[in-house]
Amino acid sequence: MPRIEDCEVHLNQEVAEDHYRMVVHAPGIAGEARAGQFCMIEVQEGLYPFLRRPMSFERIYPDSLSILYKVEGKGTRMMSRFSPGQTISIQGPLGKPFPLDPHHDRHILVAGGIGVAPFPALAEAIIGTLGRTPEVILAARSENHLLCEDEFHEMGCTVHLATDDGSAGDKAFASEVLRRLNPGPGAMVYCCGPMVMMKATQRVCSDLGLPCLASLEAEMACGDGVCLGCVVPTVTDREAGSSVRVCHDGPVFDAGLIDWDGV
Ligand SMILES: Cc1cc2nc3c(=O)[nH]c(=O)nc-3n(C[C@H](O)[C@H](O)[C@H](O)COP(=O)(O)OP(=O)(O)OC[C@H]3O[C@@H](n4cnc5c(N)ncnc54)[C@H](O)[C@@H]3O)c2cc1C
Ligand code: FES
């Protein structure tokens, strides 16, 4: 059950330009959180911004959580000013986690930029629950924007790097690296990143006949399925119309369900 918890900030550190890692003491939320779920963080000074900001769980520890985030606008800029010892209000865990299916012999995580945020927790869950070590395709604009490479190596993951400018790894898009890996029929692909990157990843998976799970982002107001502020279109008709709520039905979806031309 989601709860609202007052959490002490333990650490809030810049890890790359405009990218931060925050660790908070949150025993209630951490005790229930699973990889792929998210939380809503209050970033108010006075009344603004009114809405909490959604953030994935980068790592889930017994009594704390880490959040990896990119400064996009006012709210995340305010988050970057949180200091250790400060108490902040966090609501969570929200949404559905990544399903962990033991029938796959290969798990490939495809991350674009800050889209890597939920994947350290997922890698840990795949290793701990399924006894498999995932491979990671880590893609970003340039070397300076590749995040979590050391963390994945420490977990024993094989990491394939790709950058738009060729400053590290292959000068290629993440989806091209995935196609080149040519995973066999037993593979499961998980992706998170810019919509265009997830759309390309889904296309490769569809060509190769592979299942693909995508963790989506949308601007959110309630975070709890009520306001319909976060709907994205789907390719199938559902009872409530041909759309899903990212916060309540997701944020993790079968990528084949999403109408990528409509998002
Ligand atoms: C389920 C979920 C999990 C997320 N996890 C993370 C995470 O782990 N790390 C991270 O850095 N970011 C994450 N995001 C995105 C993050 O919530 C937004 O970047 C943040 O809310 C922007 O707030 P802001 O006040 O800084 O920017 P604003 O001033 O509100 O907006 C700045 C720009 O960002 C766009 N934007 C605002 N909110 C979102 C959003 N939710 N998704 C996409 N674009 C948005 C706006 O359209 C605008 O162009 C997640 C989003 C969702 C829905
Ligand atoms: S944010 Fe309100 S329904 Fe998803």
Side-chain angles (χ1 to χ4, degrees):
M1 273 295 285
R3 64 178 79 205
I4 293 180
E5 192 167 14
D6 287 332
C7 307
E8 186 183 329
V9 176
H10 281 175
L11 173 129
N12 195 20
Q13 202 172 52
E14 192 165 22
V15 291
E17 193 189 355
D18 277 338
H19 289 72
Y20 290 76
R21 175 172 288 118
M22 179 166 72
V23 179
V24 294
H25 181 66
I29 297 173
E32 291 176 14
R34 288 160 65 198
Q37 291 185 293
F38 66 101
C39 61
M40 299 279 277
I41 301 183
E42 191 174 82
V43 287
Q44 265 177 352
E45 274 171 19
L47 277 180
Y48 184 82
F50 183 63
L51 301 172
R52 290 167 182 264
R53 295 308 194 241
M55 291 288 153
S56 309
F57 303 126
E58 184 207 13
R59 299 292 278 265
I60 302 164
Y61 302 107
D63 62 359
S64 61
L65 298 163
S66 81
I67 312 270
L68 185 70
Y69 65 96
K70 178 180 177 200
V71 172
E72 281 286 353
K74 196 123 188 176
T76 42
R77 174 68 63 201
M78 284 161 69
M79 273 176 66
S80 73
R81 296 195 200 107
F82 289 165
S83 25
Q86 183 175 347
T87 299
I88 59 172
S89 171
I90 303 185
Q91 180 183 12
L94 296 159
K96 311 250 185 314
F98 286 104
L100 297 176
D101 185 341
H103 297 103
H104 299 281
D105 55 17
R106 201 169 170 189
H107 298 262
I108 303 175
L109 282 45
V110 185
I114 189 60
V116 71
F119 282 164
L122 175 62
E124 220 161 35
I126 291 170
I127 294 166
T129 308
L130 303 181
R132 305 251 179 210
T133 307
E135 286 163 71
V136 183
I137 299 174
L138 203 54
R141 270 186 292 146
S142 70
E143 184 175 21
N144 297 340
H145 297 91
L146 290 169
L147 302 167
C148 301
E149 186 186 352
D150 291 346
E151 284 79 358
F152 290 123
H153 279 308
E154 278 162 23
M155 289 187 232
C157 303
T158 305
V159 181
H160 310 272
L161 301 181
T163 48
D164 295 351
D165 63 3
S167 53
D170 290 345
K171 186 175 179 185
F173 294 131
S175 53
E176 294 167 344
V177 177
L178 176 65
R179 193 183 289 279
R180 264 186 249 144
L181 286 181
N182 195 17
M188 166 62 95
V189 174
Y190 311 77
C191 67
C192 186
M195 288 293 183
V196 62
M197 169 263 188
M198 292 195 284
K199 176 181 173 180
T201 302
Q202 161 56 17
R203 193 177 308 127
V204 171
C205 289
S206 166
D207 290 349
L208 299 177
L210 296 177
C212 179
L213 293 169
S215 179
L216 264 54
E217 282 191 10
E219 290 192 38
M220 290 186 177
C222 71
D224 214 8
V226 179
C227 72
L228 302 184
C230 65
V231 292
V232 295
T234 64
V235 292
T236 53
D237 284 334
R238 289 163 59 100
E239 240 174 78
S242 54
S243 64
V244 283
R245 294 161 296 179
V246 172
C247 69
H248 189 265
D249 306 315
V252 178
F253 294 96
D254 171 353
L257 177 75
I258 304 302
D259 175 5
W260 294 101
D261 294 323
V263 291

